[in-house]
Amino acid sequence: MEAVPFDRLGPEHLDAWHALRNANPLLDSPYFHPGFAAAVHTSGRAVQVYCERSATGAIASLFPVVREGSLLRPVGWPGADFQGPILAPGAAYPVTKLLTGGATALEFDHLLPLAGEFEEWTATTRESPFVDTTGGMDGYLARASKSGRDNMGQARRRTAKAEREIGPVKFEADVVDEAALAEVIRLKRAQYAATGARDYFAEPDRERLLRALLHTRGTDFAGILSTVYAGDRLLAAHFGIRSGPVLHWWFPVYDPAHSALAPGWILLRELVMAAPQLGFTRIDLGRGDDEYKRRAKTGETFVGQGLVTRSNTRLAVRRAREQLVAAAKASPLGPHLRKVVRRLRSR
């Protein structure tokens, strides 16, 4: 297993990356596109790509990671909502071979079931919901739950209410606007502070990452910023990433002053309606038990949380923490323990 700095990858590596990804439907998320790893690397967090070769010398798999001391984490941590190696469907992955050159552990928290070798290292799995947007709003309504259909209907009525009470509603699906992105980050940081969640943007390279992605254009991989205004007021916005027909719902925000309008639903409704023109057939909502995700989803996949390590003590501590989180979530006091859960996950 060879670790190659991202900026030293050659055409052979990138060609293999694209070929393996295109051949594996589980890898269609933009998190698995080399453009995401490139943006993370250029934002200031060094990315290494572990490359495995077959007996014939061909590249059989690639796994982009970041390293902190002896600990490896998937590229984009802690903001990568899908993680795993780039490899052919059903291929085996020699995961313990990553623990070389001083690396003693690989931690993951959104691992897709790409290779069975990770199962013994996976402590828990959680739902990661998605919205099938094939056919736009008509297609969505045919697949959605009653709750999803009801909320979309309410969003339509609340859009009309915003028009009457605030001003004309304007939706922009894909804008390159530094000021709007700065407002997304400001609102998101305020949300983190209010909920007790760890501030993702406390590390300055995270803002650089979003700005770099904002200016990454193209249908194969791009950042995408969507906004909804009523008059001159920003009701809601979302910054995510896309690759081909998949949009990943990453940083949604809304103005708390207009929370009664459920602006997030207004924005999601606009995106679903615009999906055919934008070329999206799926919006991945990311792991989480948020109520709107449960209501909006048309399906879900599952992602794993765990640790690959040769240290039994370290593995036991990690699994105990995951079990504590799961117990807190299952408790009747779960809603009151949410801040505790978030702090445990961020450690």
Side-chain angles (χ1 to χ4, degrees), residues 28 139 166 182 187 264 284 296 299 306 344:
D28 63 356
I166 306 173
L187 287 169
D284 285 324
L344 283 169

Coordinates of all heavy atoms in Angstrom, one line a residue, residues 28 139 166 182 187 264 284 296 299 306 344:
D28 N -21.3 7.4 -6.5 CA -21.8 8.5 -7.3 C -21.9 9.8 -6.5 O -22.1 10.9 -7.1 CB -23.1 8.2 -7.9 CG -24.3 7.9 -7.0 OD1 -24.0 7.9 -5.7 OD2 -25.4 7.7 -7.4
G139 N -42.9 13.9 -9.7 CA -42.3 12.6 -9.4 C -42.1 12.4 -7.9 O -42.3 11.4 -7.3
I166 N -43.9 40.1 3.0 CA -42.5 40.6 3.0 C -42.1 41.2 1.6 O -41.6 42.3 1.6 CB -41.5 39.5 3.4 CG1 -41.8 38.8 4.7 CG2 -40.0 40.0 3.4 CD1 -41.0 37.6 5.0
A182 N -20.9 34.0 2.7 CA -20.5 34.5 4.0 C -21.6 34.5 5.0 O -21.5 34.2 6.2 CB -19.9 35.9 3.9
L187 N -24.7 32.3 9.6 CA -26.0 31.7 10.1 C -25.7 30.3 10.7 O -26.2 29.9 11.7 CB -27.0 31.7 9.1 CG -27.7 33.0 8.7 CD1 -28.6 32.9 7.5 CD2 -28.5 33.6 9.9
G264 N -36.7 26.6 5.3 CA -36.0 25.5 4.8 C -36.8 24.7 3.9 O -36.3 24.2 2.8
D284 N -29.0 14.0 -1.7 CA -28.6 13.3 -0.4 C -28.7 14.3 0.7 O -28.1 15.4 0.7 CB -27.2 12.8 -0.6 CG -27.1 11.5 -1.4 OD1 -28.1 10.7 -1.4 OD2 -26.1 11.4 -2.2
A296 N -39.1 14.5 4.7 CA -38.9 14.8 3.3 C -38.4 13.6 2.5 O -38.6 13.5 1.3 CB -37.8 15.9 3.2
G299 N -36.2 7.7 0.7 CA -35.4 6.5 0.9 C -34.2 6.8 1.8 O -34.0 8.0 2.2
G306 N -16.9 3.9 13.2 CA -16.0 3.0 13.9 C -14.6 3.4 13.8 O -14.2 4.5 13.4
L344 N -20.3 14.6 22.4 CA -19.6 13.3 22.4 C -19.1 12.9 21.0 O -18.0 12.5 20.8 CB -20.5 12.2 22.9 CG -20.7 12.1 24.4 CD1 -21.8 11.2 24.7 CD2 -19.4 11.7 25.1

